[in-house]
């Protein structure tokens, strides 16, 4: 067995001496540890066995992510992690023999890296920008359609291991081996269904590009699929021509000016729609021909006529969707789509929608429009025939749209749209069909201002991504802390965030037969429990209910909490426990009004000696105020796993 307490003391000594680069608050935490060990008169004692027992328990748990998880490799604690655990479980009060610390804060930087080919198109509110040209401060979009600000960007990186990821719709993205993807794999779906007894695990889960390449098939079929992004949320724009009217004109209008061809069955509906949008129609001599506007011939009317405005947009005798119309608000883009679909669109009895055009330029723009609105289009090229005469190429763009999102204004067409399905269909996902290693390309990473790191890339808005230690500590508190009827909670404001600790704990327990057998652990979808003692480990969303008595509560990414209500109620519920632990884990945030920042300030004052609180232990990894943040020394200070799980090359880039 490793000599854990010696490793912890050695880590502290090296931090104090400067052999291990560390910021002010880590140095103070280490000095506090050493001073307490050397104190001749102290109300505390350090229990080597208790510290070692907790460390050993953690190192008996399996990894839950990546190749080490597949190989069932055990966790191997780094010296700073051993120092952390030894402080929590080693220090006791002499009078009672109970643990010294009841609140613990661990603040470490987040690991982020999304290296994509510099030529990858990225959607911004003003249009498409290549990955290589994205700047700090630019706005990109998340898979939920929300705006996200770019807060960091690396220089272009070379000689990276690269892969070409191809989707079922033909989209291809080149990314480096460590780029992160949120995919729903067959293994994820097996776990959700309980197939083979696997009833726990993330769905979907994060994988690297290399991991996807190694698991591209499962049971002979494509393994990974990615959820279609939600509509991109752009701002409303001011246009000279209403989007619906422009869309209808692009489908059934005269390229030479402000005229439409409208069939008898639709003329009343189309006239009413144009009139409501300030573009009245007038019947022309030809049977199906309508003029747009009053037809007045004075100079002022001619300058503001529909035809003049078409010229101003550059679409007269040059039909295409102007780029600014692809970046309006969702409502404006839906109006544009409805105009196109009312003119040249169709809905089959099965509910499949289709838009047909003889213009390749328009077909490409319609595909971009559909992806940006969260639809999944497919396109087929063919030949157009009228009364047996070959009239050239045509493109048929198909997609599924349900009645909750009307893509027609014409009632006869809308009535064919099917009701929204009760569960997600194949049109909600795209499948990864190949992930092939290619010659290295120049790549680049950006970081966005959200904890999940997600943003969409490529013309089809493909979503790409940006705690095991806390999970293992939670399992220790459930199984091995000696607390009868232990109650461990992974608390957060959302189920997803609460699962960031709970789900790895489930996987650890599920894959550790010795743990299950020795402690009598029962792993279920909703909790981990020990029937013989009534102990349980659960997710907690919001405040605990009446009767809850946490022996351990873990608040992950506590910087996201808007107020302290969840923390307060968990701590209040701990009153009946002799030595509970409230564990806060977090990366950096920017909410100065939330409980996380107040907790950090208190921890800093304790370490500085201006506030006395012997129940709170904190490790705060960051740089100091006067540091050159871009230097290697500063990077080592802020990243305790520098060169281990966080590569030097990435951080330097």
């Amino acid at each position: 067995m490793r000599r854990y307490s010696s490793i912890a003391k050695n880590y502290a000594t090296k931090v104090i001496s400067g052999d291990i680069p560390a910021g002010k608050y880590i140095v103070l935490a280490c000095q506090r540890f050493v001073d307490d060990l050397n104190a001749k008169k102290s109300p505390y004692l350090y229990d080597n066995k208790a510290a070692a027992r907790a460390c050993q328990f953690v190192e008996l748990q399996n990894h839950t992510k990546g190749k080490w998880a597949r190989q069932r490799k055990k966790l191997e604690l780094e010296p700073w992690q051993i120092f952390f655990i030894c402080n929590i479980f080693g220090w006791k009060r002499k009078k009672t023999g109970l643990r010294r610390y009841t609140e613990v804060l661990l603040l470490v930087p987040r690991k982020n890296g999304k290296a994509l080919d510099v030529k990858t198109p990225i959607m911004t509110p003003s249009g498409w920008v290549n990955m290589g040209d994205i700047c700090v401060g630019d706005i990109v979009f998340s898979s939920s359609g929300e705006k996200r600000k770019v807060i960091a960007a690396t220089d272009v990186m070379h000689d990276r291991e690269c892969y070409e990821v191809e989707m079922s719709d033909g989209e291809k993205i080149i990314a480096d081996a460590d780029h992160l993807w949120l995919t729903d794999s067959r293994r994820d779906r097996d776990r959700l269904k309980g197939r083979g007894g696997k009833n726990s695990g993330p769905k979907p889960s994060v994988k690297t590009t290399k991991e996807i390449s190694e698991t591209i098939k499962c049971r002979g079929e494509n393994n990974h699929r990615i959820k279609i992004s939600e509509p991109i949320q752009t701002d409303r724009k001011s246009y000279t021509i209403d989007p619906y009217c422009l869309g209808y004109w692009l489908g059934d209008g005269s390229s030479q000016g402000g005229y439409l061809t409208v069939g008898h069955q639709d003329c009343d509906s189309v006239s009413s729609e144009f009139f409501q949008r300030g573009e009245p129609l007038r019947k022309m001599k030809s049977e199906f021909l309508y003029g747009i506007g009053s037809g007045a011939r004075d100079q002022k009317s001619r300058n503001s006529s529909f035809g003049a405005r078409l010229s101003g947009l550059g679409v007269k005798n040059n039909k295409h969707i102007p780029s600014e119309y692809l970046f309006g608000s969702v409502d404006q883009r839906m109006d544009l789509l409805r105009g196109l679909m009312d003119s040249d669109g169709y809905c089959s009895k099965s509910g499949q929608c289709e838009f047909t055009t003889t213009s390749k330029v328009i077909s490409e723009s319609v595909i971009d429009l559909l992806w940006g609105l969260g639809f999944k289009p497919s396109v087929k090229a063919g030949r157009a025939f009228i009364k047996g005469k070959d009239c050239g190429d045509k493109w048929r763009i198909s997609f599924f749209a349900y009645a909750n999102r009307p893509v027609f204004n014409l009632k006869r067409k809308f009535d064919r749209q099917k009701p929204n399905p009760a569960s997600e269909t194949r049109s909600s996902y795209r499948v990864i069909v190949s992930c092939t290693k290619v010659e290295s390309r120049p790549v680049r990473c950006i970081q966005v201002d959200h904890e999940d790191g997600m943003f969409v890339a490529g013309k089809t808005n493909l979503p790409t991504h940006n705690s095991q230690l806390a999970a293992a500590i939670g399992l220790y508190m459930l199984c091995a802390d000696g607390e009868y009827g232990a109650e461990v909670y992974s608390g957060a404001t959302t189920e997803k965030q609460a699962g960031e600790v709970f789900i790895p704990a489930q996987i650890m327990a599920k894959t550790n037969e010795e743990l299950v057998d020795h402690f009598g652990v029962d792993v279920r979808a909703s909790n981990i429990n020990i029937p013989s003692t009534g102990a349980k480990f659960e997710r907690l969303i919001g405040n605990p209910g009446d009767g809850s008595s946490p022996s351990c509560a873990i608040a992950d990414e506590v910087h996201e909490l808007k107020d302290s209500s969840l923390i307060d109620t968990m701590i209040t519920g701990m009153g009946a426990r002799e030595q509970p632990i409230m564990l806060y884990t977090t990366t950096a945030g920017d909410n100065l009004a939330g409980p996380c920042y107040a907790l950090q300030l208190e921890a800093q004052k304790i370490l500085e000696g201006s506030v006395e609180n012997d129940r709170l232990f904190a490790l705060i990894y960051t740089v100091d105020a006067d540091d050159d943040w871009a230097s290697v020394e500063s990077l080592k200070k802020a990243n305790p796993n520098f060169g281990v799980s966080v590569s030097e090359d990435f951080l330097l880039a």
Side-chain angles (χ1 to χ4, degrees):
M1 186 174 73
R2 300 171 75 184
R3 299 175 63 192
Y4 296 106
S5 292
S6 295
I7 294 171
K9 185 175 181 180
N10 187 49
Y11 174 79
T13 303
K14 286 188 174 182
V15 166
I16 294 167
S17 68
D19 291 339
I20 295 177
K24 169 184 175 181
Y25 296 108
I26 297 300
V27 174
L28 290 173
C30 290
Q31 189 66 61
R32 184 187 191 190
F33 177 74
V34 171
D35 288 346
D36 287 344
L37 283 177
N38 296 332
K40 294 180 180 179
K41 290 184 179 181
S42 171
Y44 317 111
L45 60 86
Y46 181 78
D47 187 335
N48 283 289
K49 289 184 179 179
R53 187 168 185 265
C55 290
Q56 188 178 24
F57 180 94
V58 171
E59 290 201 317
L60 287 171
Q61 307 313 311
N62 296 323
H63 276 272
T64 64
K65 295 180 181 179
K67 63 179 181 180
W68 289 343
R70 292 196 298 273
Q71 297 168 6
R72 296 287 177 88
K73 186 172 180 179
K74 303 294 185 186
L75 297 176
E76 185 173 342
L77 294 170
E78 295 299 317
W80 70 273
Q81 294 169 320
I82 292 173
F83 176 75
F84 180 67
I85 294 173
C86 283
N87 270 278
I88 300 171
F89 294 99
W91 285 110
K92 296 183 177 180
R93 298 177 184 274
K94 286 181 179 178
K95 284 186 178 181
T96 62
L98 300 177
R99 272 193 296 268
R100 172 185 181 178
Y101 297 117
T102 57
E103 291 187 79
V104 181
L105 170 65
L106 175 62
L107 193 156
V108 292
R110 67 189 56 162
K111 178 184 176 183
N112 267 305
K114 296 170 179 56
L116 294 173
D117 186 339
V118 294
K119 294 181 180 179
T120 305
I122 307 294
M123 182 181 268
T124 73
S126 57
W128 296 100
V129 177
N130 283 342
M131 182 67 164
D133 297 323
I134 292 287
C135 299
V136 173
D138 285 349
I139 300 297
V140 295
F141 295 96
S142 71
S143 58
S144 59
E146 298 169 334
K147 292 180 181 179
R148 293 196 173 165
K149 187 176 181 180
V150 177
I151 59 174
T154 69
D155 293 333
V156 175
M157 296 178 283
H158 301 274
D159 301 320
R160 307 275 288 196
E161 184 179 353
C162 291
Y163 291 79
E164 182 181 76
V165 181
E166 183 176 358
M167 308 304 299
S168 51
D169 52 69
E171 173 80 349
K172 296 178 181 179
I173 296 282
I174 293 177
D176 79 350
D178 295 324
H179 186 83
L180 300 178
W181 306 79
L182 190 67
T183 83
D184 176 359
S185 69
R186 288 187 174 272
R187 179 172 174 79
D188 294 327
R189 299 195 287 281
D190 284 352
R191 284 174 176 161
L192 188 75
K193 295 174 183 176
R195 183 175 294 165
K198 303 180 183 72
N199 59 359
S200 64
K203 180 187 181 294
S205 58
V206 177
K207 295 97 175 171
T208 65
T209 311
K210 190 168 186 177
E211 287 171 341
I212 291 173
S213 74
E214 294 169 348
T215 58
I216 195 69
K217 297 286 185 180
C218 179
R219 299 194 291 275
E221 297 183 2
N222 292 318
N223 187 22
H224 299 276
R225 65 183 189 180
I226 294 178
K227 190 85 163 55
I228 301 294
S229 295
E230 296 294 323
I232 297 300
Q233 302 293 325
T234 42
D235 295 332
R236 188 171 183 83
K237 288 183 167 43
S238 177
Y239 296 127
T240 57
I241 295 178
D242 177 87
Y244 176 87
C245 299
L246 177 65
Y248 200 99
W249 177 84
L250 287 170
D252 279 344
S254 167
S255 180
Q256 298 177 0
Y259 298 93
L260 299 178
T261 300
V262 186
H264 289 313
Q265 61 182 336
D266 295 331
C267 62
D268 290 342
S269 297
V270 173
S271 294
S272 175
E273 196 68 49
F274 268 70
F275 181 80
Q276 291 176 35
R277 297 169 186 272
E279 304 286 1
L281 299 185
R282 64 186 191 279
K283 185 71 178 70
M284 309 301 290
K285 291 182 180 179
S286 296
E287 184 177 5
F288 301 114
L289 189 65
Y290 289 80
I292 306 172
S294 64
R297 296 188 172 275
D298 61 278
Q299 192 62 43
K300 183 178 179 181
S301 298
R302 292 173 67 180
N303 289 342
S304 61
S305 69
F306 197 87
R309 285 175 281 148
L310 290 173
S311 296
L313 288 174
V315 295
K316 190 173 181 179
N317 295 314
N318 178 28
K319 277 192 176 184
H320 66 279
I321 300 177
S323 60
E324 60 265 33
Y325 279 78
L326 295 174
F327 296 95
S329 69
V330 173
D331 288 344
Q332 289 177 315
R333 283 179 282 136
M334 284 297 296
D335 269 348
L336 174 64
L337 177 62
R338 291 182 190 115
L340 291 161
M341 295 299 289
D342 277 358
S343 56
D344 278 347
Y346 169 76
C347 187
S348 71
K349 290 182 179 180
S350 67
Q352 186 178 49
C353 301
E354 183 179 294
F355 176 80
T356 303
T357 179
T358 56
S359 166
K360 183 173 177 59
V361 172
I362 289 178
S363 73
E364 290 172 345
S365 293
V366 170
I367 290 170
D368 284 351
L369 175 67
L370 289 166
W371 281 119
L373 286 169
F375 296 109
K376 178 186 174 182
S378 62
V379 61
K380 289 183 179 179
R383 304 294 294 176
F385 290 89
I386 299 178
K387 295 182 179 181
K389 181 181 178 182
D390 188 337
C391 298
D393 293 326
K394 71 174 180 180
W395 288 266
R396 295 170 56 200
I397 302 166
S398 301
F399 61 101
F400 276 93
Y402 299 99
N404 63 319
R405 295 187 71 197
V407 297
F408 302 99
N409 276 345
L410 291 177
K411 186 176 184 302
R412 69 178 180 86
K413 294 187 177 185
F414 168 72
D415 285 346
R416 286 196 165 192
Q417 282 191 249
K418 297 294 183 183
N420 200 41
S423 58
E424 291 180 331
T425 65
R426 285 185 297 175
S427 65
S428 301
Y429 292 90
R430 280 179 285 170
V431 175
I432 298 179
V433 296
S434 68
C435 184
T436 310
K437 192 172 182 178
V438 295
E439 184 179 347
S440 182
R441 314 288 174 86
V443 294
R444 192 162 179 254
C445 298
I446 62 173
Q447 181 180 340
V448 297
D449 59 347
H450 196 276
E451 80 287 342
D452 68 8
M454 294 279 288
F455 64 93
V456 292
K459 281 284 188 174
T460 61
N461 293 327
L462 187 64
T464 73
H465 206 229
N466 295 260
S467 144
Q468 296 189 115
L469 181 60
I473 290 173
L475 281 181
Y476 179 83
M477 295 295 292
L478 174 76
C479 301
D481 192 47
E483 184 75 26
Y484 194 85
E487 293 181 28
V488 181
Y489 296 102
S490 171
T493 55
T494 66
E495 183 175 1
K496 178 181 181 296
Q497 191 60 58
E500 292 299 320
V501 172
F502 177 71
I503 289 173
Q506 275 185 316
I507 297 171
M508 286 177 184
K510 196 79 172 178
T511 59
N512 192 332
E513 293 178 3
E514 292 178 347
L515 176 79
V516 171
D517 293 342
H518 184 77
F519 293 103
V521 174
D522 182 17
V523 183
R524 297 181 177 272
S526 61
N527 67 37
I528 311 165
N529 66 82
I530 303 176
S532 63
T533 66
K536 62 181 180 179
F537 186 165
E538 297 179 342
R539 272 181 278 216
L540 177 66
I541 297 92
N543 299 335
D546 293 338
S548 298
S549 180
S551 52
C552 176
I554 303 167
D556 185 43
E557 295 295 5
V558 70
H559 73 267
E560 292 185 3
L561 297 179
K562 300 294 188 291
D563 58 53
S564 63
S565 58
L566 184 144
I567 294 171
D568 293 342
T569 51
M570 286 196 288
I571 291 177
T572 300
M574 291 177 173
R577 300 289 184 175
E578 284 190 321
Q579 48 179 8
I581 289 180
M582 180 69 230
L583 173 58
Y584 313 97
T585 61
T586 191
T587 52
D590 58 8
N591 180 13
L592 302 186
C596 182
Y597 187 61
L599 184 67
Q600 181 181 339
L601 288 179
E602 182 183 6
Q604 290 172 181
K605 290 176 182 177
I606 292 168
L607 292 169
E608 291 167 347
S610 60
V611 169
E612 289 188 13
N613 182 345
D614 63 352
R615 294 182 176 275
L616 174 62
F617 173 72
L619 286 186
I620 302 170
Y621 285 95
T622 184
V623 296
D624 293 323
D626 297 328
D627 286 340
D628 174 9
W629 64 270
S631 69
V632 175
E633 192 78 0
S634 294
L635 295 175
K636 289 180 178 179
K637 280 185 177 184
N639 294 275
N641 262 17
F642 184 90
V644 181
S645 64
V646 185
S647 73
E648 179 176 351
D649 288 344
F650 169 73
L651 288 175
L652 288 174

